[in-house]
Amino acid sequence: MSRSQLAGTRIRNSRMALGMKQAELAKACGISASYLNLIEHDRRRIGGSLLLRIAEALGAEPSAIGEGAESALLASLESAADKHDEAAAERDRADELASRFPGWARLIRMQFRESARLEQVVERLDDRLTHDPFLSASMHNVLTSVTAIRSASGILAGGEPVEPEWQRRFARNIHEDSRRLADATESLVGYLDAEADDRGTGSLPQDEVEQWLMTRGWVFEELERDAAAPIAAIVDDADEIRTLAARELAHGHLVQYAADAAAVPKASLGDALGKTEEPLALADMLDAPLPALFRRLATLAPDALPEQGAFGLVGCDASGTLVFRKPLPDFDLPRFGGACPLWPLFRAGQQPMVPVRETLAMSGRDDNLFDVHAVAEITHPLGFEGPPVVTSWMLFRQWQHGRDAGRILRAGTTCRICAETGCPSRREPAVFSTLSGEGL
């Protein structure tokens, strides 16, 4: 059924919820009870002034009756059907479900979102177990110590006579290995506890810097007011940054931030955004390099452009390693390991300074579409004698509702947690398909 055809069902449900008789509603609207009966059974279309009178009599919004359930709820149902296509859900009756049984529809949405959240948890755990260097080294130390203790104790408990001198040596080795095991496990537990705390910093320098940027809202007002402000002082005041390597990364980021702020002042950017929000048009209007504009747009507050919200940004070097991550709630960025090779970010790196644009649908999410722009910049810090340095940048934001998306590229975060089947760029099976195949 179409949404207009289901308006009668919504009217009937609203009337019955109010305990109002059909004749009462018909009289209040100035129509006959028989005509209202046809409307409530979806045998007559309504609109215009009659719709307004019915909505007023029921104390409801006209859009709630004429359009039905909120679009987000319907989008969730569609996404759930896409995710589990084998269930053969009756897609053409999704609006009827949302209208007649809104509680059940909301339950499906809640379960679908919970499933998506758990996928993200599995993703983070899989990334950490597979790629986290600290976790890998700690587990290696634990296993090495356990093996050494087991070998020494096995010799002592083997029943064969052991010279007193060798007994003392084995006992000393067991004691030392036990201390190392205790230290390694204490360090590992402390690391895992810190990771469980959202306020904790990460184990890598890039994690420390990103946590710091997040606490600052990705904005440095000192450099916005004066691009020549002392950067070293800003880094020294950052309590979140503890390691020397992280401080060097933070310093490099602020040097780039200051250069971008000087090239694209916030006031000029705000004036230009009042005329257009298309990155290419903005770059021409501001006479600014596209990568610098991407980085400046990523510093905007979420309420700066309320129509679509904040921008996300990700950058990578020529090896494909992510060097900068500013995620959005529904666009996950991998913390460790390789990202999805289908991202325009990597295609842009093949042709520096050639912009790429795609409408991206993230696999496994709540039918969220993203408007994605990517470009790669090339620099020669060592002159023509040295190797060029290529950095790719990808700017993304929620797709504006009501716009024609055209061709949609379906992608994921990383192969391990991507549900897209038949992907030509898949490097390894998804962990979910593996678990399903094992019957877990």
Side-chain angles (χ1 to χ4, degrees), residues 129-147:
L129 291 173
T130 306
H131 302 288
D132 191 331
F134 181 86
L135 186 58
S136 176
S138 298
M139 290 300 298
H140 176 74
N141 290 337
V142 169
L143 293 176
T144 300
S145 299
V146 169
T147 301

Side-chain angles (χ1 to χ4, degrees), residues 309-313 326-333 370 396-398:
F311 285 95
L313 182 68
K326 184 200 173 186
L328 291 181
D330 295 308
F331 196 113
D332 300 319
L333 301 176
F370 294 88
F396 51 92
R397 68 191 305 196
Q398 286 276 3

Side-chain angles (χ1 to χ4, degrees), residues 58-178:
L58 294 173
E61 290 291 330
S63 59
I65 295 176
E67 296 298 328
E70 58 179 334
S71 58
L73 180 58
L74 294 174
S76 299
L77 296 176
E78 287 291 334
S79 297
D82 290 338
K83 180 75 172 180
H84 302 284
D85 192 56
E86 69 281 0
E90 295 83 355
R91 295 170 180 266
D92 58 334
R93 304 188 69 179
D95 199 348
E96 183 179 1
L97 172 64
S99 300
R100 299 183 62 181
F101 307 103
W104 283 105
R106 288 192 294 269
L107 176 61
I108 293 173
R109 178 175 63 179
M110 291 173 61
Q111 291 182 331
F112 179 68
R113 289 182 173 177
E114 177 66 9
S115 173
R117 186 190 68 81
L118 292 176
E119 286 184 14
Q120 295 181 37
V121 173
V122 172
E123 170 196 346
R124 290 194 293 268
L125 292 175
D126 179 68
D127 278 343
R128 289 175 62 190
L129 291 173
T130 306
H131 302 288
D132 191 331
F134 181 86
L135 186 58
S136 176
S138 298
M139 290 300 298
H140 176 74
N141 290 337
V142 169
L143 293 176
T144 300
S145 299
V146 169
T147 301
I149 293 173
R150 182 178 180 182
S151 298
S153 60
I155 294 175
L156 293 177
E160 296 293 331
V162 181
E163 295 292 333
E165 177 63 24
W166 282 103
Q167 289 182 13
R168 287 192 292 272
R169 290 185 180 182
F170 283 128
R172 184 172 61 252
N173 290 342
I174 291 175
H175 175 69
E176 293 175 353
D177 288 332
S178 298

Side-chain angles (χ1 to χ4, degrees), residues 314-324 334 337-341 343 345-346 349 390-392 427:
V314 60
C316 76
D317 60 18
S319 72
T321 301
L322 302 187
V323 296
F324 182 85
C340 176
W343 284 3
L345 173 73
F346 304 112
V390 178
T391 307
S392 301
R427 297 184 296 270

Side-chain angles (χ1 to χ4, degrees), residues 230-311:
I231 291 175
I234 300 176
V235 177
D236 289 341
D237 290 339
D239 295 334
E240 298 88 348
I241 302 180
R242 298 182 175 90
T243 64
L244 179 60
R247 290 185 175 274
E248 291 182 0
L249 288 178
H251 188 277
H253 175 79
L254 292 185
V255 169
Q256 181 69 74
Y257 189 106
D260 293 340
V264 187
K266 181 175 288 187
S268 301
L269 180 59
D271 292 340
L273 284 169
K275 301 173 183 177
T276 180
E277 296 181 11
E278 289 297 323
L280 277 175
L282 285 171
D284 290 340
M285 188 178 302
L286 296 168
D287 192 23
L290 202 54
L293 178 66
F294 281 8
R295 293 188 291 266
R296 293 298 285 157
L297 289 173
T299 65
L300 294 175
D303 57 354
L305 296 171
E307 287 291 327
Q308 293 171 271
F311 285 95

